Amino acid sequence: MENTAITLSPSAAARVATIAQKQDKPAILRLSVEGGGCSGFQYKFGLAETPDSEDCVVETDGVRLVVDPVSLDLVNGCVVDYVESLGGAAFRVENPMAAAGCGCGSSFSI
C-alpha cells in the first residue's frame, strides 16, 4: 500500500542505507509502535527483509520506510529523521499527533 502519511528524511535514509550495507541487508527500515515506555507508547526501529502486503511503504533516495497499519494510526503525519547531537545520534520521530513525550524521545502519548 503506497501512502504519503509518513515521511523518511534524507538524513535518515542515508543512515539506513549505511547500516543496511554494513549488515548486508536490504535498505528497508521498519517503524512500529508498541505499548509501554514512560509515556504510554514507544517507537521501535529495525531493518526488514521485505515489506508485508498491508504495510504503508514510502521511499526516500532508494531507501524504504515500512509501517504496519496498526502503528500507522499512531504515527500518521510523522517525519522519521536521523539526528546527531552531543548526546549521541539516533532516529527520531517528529509526531504531530503526540500530546506528550518524554526526555528520551522514544516514548509518547496521544
Side-chain angles (χ1 to χ4, degrees), residues 2-91:
E2 289 292 328
N3 200 325
T4 56
I6 190 164
T7 304
L8 182 65
S9 76
S11 63
R15 184 65 183 153
V16 171
T18 300
I19 293 169
Q21 184 178 22
K22 286 181 181 176
Q23 295 185 13
D24 198 25
K25 293 190 172 190
I28 303 172
L29 179 66
R30 175 168 297 283
L31 168 62
S32 57
V33 177
E34 297 180 343
C38 32
S39 294
F41 295 104
Q42 58 188 359
Y43 302 112
K44 183 178 175 190
F45 292 99
L47 290 179
E49 292 294 326
T50 59
D52 294 334
S53 61
E54 296 182 356
D55 283 342
C56 169
V57 180
V58 295
E59 189 169 320
T60 301
D61 299 334
V63 175
R64 289 183 283 176
L65 172 67
V66 296
V67 183
D68 66 89
V70 174
S71 296
L72 186 61
D73 287 344
L74 298 169
V75 296
N76 198 3
C78 288
V79 175
V80 176
D81 199 6
Y82 182 72
V83 180
E84 294 185 48
S85 67
L86 290 175
F91 288 102

